[in-house]
Amino acid sequence: MKVALGVTGCIGAYKAVEVLRGLQKTGVSVEVVMTRNAANFVAPRTFQAISGNPVVSEMFAPTDDPQIKHISLAQEIELLVIAPATANILAKMAHGIADDFLSTLYISTTAPVLVAPAMNAEMWRHPATQVNVRILRERGVEFVDPEDGYLACQTVGPGRLAESAKVVERAVGIIGERISPASSRRNAGTRDLLGERVLITAGPTYEAIDPVRGITNRSSGRMGYAVADAALDRGAEVTLVTGPVRLDPPARANTVRVRSAAEMLEAVRAGMTNTTVFVMAAAVADYRPVQSNNQKIKKNAGNLVLELERTEDILAEVCRTKGDRIVVGFAAETENVIVNARAKLVAKGCDLIVANDVSADDAGFDVPTNIVTLVSVDETTELPLMSKREAADRILNEIVKLQKASSAVA
Ligand code: CTP
């Protein structure tokens, strides 16, 4: 399966290398198309070496290939991603100007198009750009909007290229919908969680050692946030208890921000009364320093020994009084994934464990994809590589199934 990655000329062009790597990790072949200006920022050779494919930039480059390149590539690709996209390429796309390879590829392809703009804040806000964005959106082009932040032009505002993982995540979602429309459509518009109150925990916890140091882990929060998004789309009322992450919580969720395992436990206890489904996706620290110092610890000549104590097991506590709630835990494993997950299911007393092998490249921490196995009392279902959003929907499908089974017994 092939994706074309268009790179246009702005300072964010170097981040396209991360987008390329992220796309490749999902198993797709990527052909990079650069505009002439993009080559002023990153050498085409960089993309060529990483993608393993020649980089296309000239419309009429001499070639032995008898095919018309922009047409053959337009027909081969499942998706055209343009990241970063300048104000100039957006204007050309909106008005059908085809004066170089990338703009010609855009009007030659019927594949979906995903655009991640990056530019100075005033250029982004300019009515001309905003009109072009609207035209493209109306035409079905998808956007990963630029983020607010400190820009290369030393101003602050909207215009910074979105995080590369976000671009890859959306790209994976679009490809998934294209290759298995049935499975993606299965949940589209489904409101099977209407009336459910779902409490989801996400992200890592941070256990302070002193005011400037602490113990945490690599959890990005993506999986828990994807479950929150999917549950909201399916009609649930969602409370998201989140540890410190770099993601924006879904606006429709009731978000409670916490830092430590103790704070997370408190927030879960407070939210539990009304909850009908509990999903414990957070990567809670198992240990915290016995003593958290109010002042920064000064170094001295000797070693420093930190004494750690166990944190509360939030999932196990919820399970002790779970009643007829559906309770889901996660198991991040590096070996004997299914055996360990089943042991956790029994030890903690939950209804479902979502297990993943965090040592795999495409699964686990800080990647947009996951490979999970759903372990319930009666079944073990190994799922293939998919976007975290799709994995979230499969988890919710299983929850709905478990709810039906338990109400049939009752
Ligand atoms: N969990 C929790 N409270 C903790 C530790 C873990 O609620 N203090 C939850 C996690 O959110 C996850 C499940 O328990 O849903 C399993 O977490 P994991 O870290 O994989 O397992 P542990 O029980 O901590 O066991 P181990 O670290 O030994 O594998």
Side-chain angles (χ1 to χ4, degrees):
M1 181 185 315
K2 191 177 273 187
V3 167
L5 171 62
V7 183
T8 65
C10 74
I11 192 77
Y14 75 94
K15 290 195 197 162
V17 176
E18 285 168 22
V19 175
L20 167 60
R21 300 264 302 132
L23 288 169
Q24 281 181 315
K25 278 187 182 172
T26 69
V28 297
S29 160
V30 185
E31 235 179 88
V32 177
V33 176
M34 293 179 83
T35 61
R36 245 184 224 181
N37 286 339
N40 285 319
F41 292 91
V42 184
R45 197 164 299 141
T46 306
F47 289 108
Q48 185 162 321
I50 296 174
S51 69
N53 286 318
V55 169
V56 195
S57 42
E58 291 302 326
M59 191 69 193
F60 301 107
T63 169
D64 295 336
D65 188 349
Q67 292 190 320
I68 303 168
K69 182 68 183 172
H70 66 272
I71 301 295
S72 59
L73 187 59
Q75 289 169 348
E76 280 164 18
I77 54 176
E78 298 294 333
L79 174 68
L80 168 60
V81 182
I82 305 181
T86 55
N88 186 46
I89 190 75
L90 296 179
K92 289 205 274 184
M93 289 164 71
H95 299 283
I97 295 170
D99 64 352
D100 65 2
F101 193 94
L102 182 58
S103 50
T104 310
L105 178 65
Y106 165 69
I107 58 164
S108 317
T109 191
T110 54
V113 179
L114 175 67
V115 168
M119 63 197 75
N120 157 276
E122 294 312 331
M123 291 170 79
W124 173 247
R125 289 191 193 112
H126 195 283
T129 305
Q130 288 304 311
V131 168
N132 292 335
V133 169
R134 198 164 58 239
I135 292 172
L136 292 172
R137 280 194 212 274
E138 281 167 8
R139 212 180 275 158
V141 171
E142 289 215 30
F143 279 78
V144 182
D145 283 340
E147 291 169 357
D148 257 29
Y150 189 72
L151 305 173
C153 49
Q154 301 180 355
T155 55
V156 176
R160 199 170 63 187
L161 180 65
E163 228 186 290
S164 50
K166 246 190 198 171
V167 179
V168 175
E169 190 165 1
R170 192 57 212 121
V172 169
I174 297 171
I175 297 168
E177 285 154 25
R178 219 165 139 78
I179 56 177
S180 60
S183 74
S184 329
R185 240 186 279 122
R186 204 178 299 143
N187 303 306
T190 308
R191 307 285 287 171
D192 54 358
L193 293 176
L194 258 180
E196 299 297 334
R197 287 178 299 271
V198 183
L199 197 157
I200 300 158
T201 66
T205 63
Y206 178 93
E207 311 302 326
I209 296 170
D210 70 15
V212 295
R213 305 181 182 96
I215 300 171
T216 187
N217 60 65
R218 288 175 51 211
S219 168
S220 66
R222 286 180 196 288
M223 193 62 239
Y225 276 54
V227 177
D229 253 334
L232 285 160
D233 286 349
R234 291 165 74 154
E237 227 176 85
V238 171
T239 298
L240 177 63
V241 176
T242 175
V245 295
R246 287 184 298 156
L247 305 172
D248 294 326
R252 298 163 293 165
N254 162 33
T255 302
V256 184
R257 293 176 202 272
V258 298
R259 220 157 80 113
S260 62
E263 284 174 21
M264 187 170 277
L265 175 63
E266 208 176 300
V268 167
R269 279 181 183 155
M272 208 34 117
T273 332
N274 287 322
T275 294
T276 56
V277 175
F278 177 63
V279 180
M280 184 76 208
V284 187
D286 287 326
Y287 293 92
R288 72 176 146 239
V290 170
Q291 224 186 342
S292 172
N293 295 273
N294 292 331
Q295 303 300 329
K296 187 180 165 202
I297 301 172
K298 289 290 183 191
K299 61 178 163 302
N300 56 38
N303 292 343
L304 174 71
V305 177
L306 274 180
E307 197 185 344
L308 303 178
E309 65 185 6
R310 287 289 305 269
T311 56
E312 305 76 9
D313 189 322
I314 303 172
L315 181 60
E317 177 178 312
V318 168
C319 286
R320 279 195 287 276
T321 53
K322 83 186 250 318
D324 51 12
R325 294 183 187 98
I326 299 293
V327 175
V328 179
F330 277 66
E333 305 291 346
T334 53
E335 55 182 355
N336 303 326
V337 178
I338 296 171
V339 172
N340 287 338
R342 192 158 286 289
K344 279 177 193 171
L345 181 83
V346 175
K348 304 210 184 197
C350 45
D351 300 289
L352 182 70
I353 286 279
V354 181
N356 64 340
D357 181 349
V358 285
S359 63
D361 256 3
D362 300 327
F365 298 122
D366 221 4
V367 288
T369 50
N370 214 347
I371 307 169
V372 299
T373 301
L374 306 182
V375 180
S376 65
V377 176
D378 300 324
E379 270 180 306
T380 299
T381 313
E382 289 185 53
L383 300 178
L385 175 74
M386 55 181 65
S387 69
K388 283 189 171 161
R389 171 56 204 248
E390 198 179 343
D393 268 312
R394 301 291 281 268
I395 294 164
L396 293 175
N397 290 350
E398 194 64 26
I399 290 172
V400 170
K401 202 166 107 185
L402 287 166
Q403 268 182 329
K404 282 191 184 139
S406 79
S407 58
V409 170

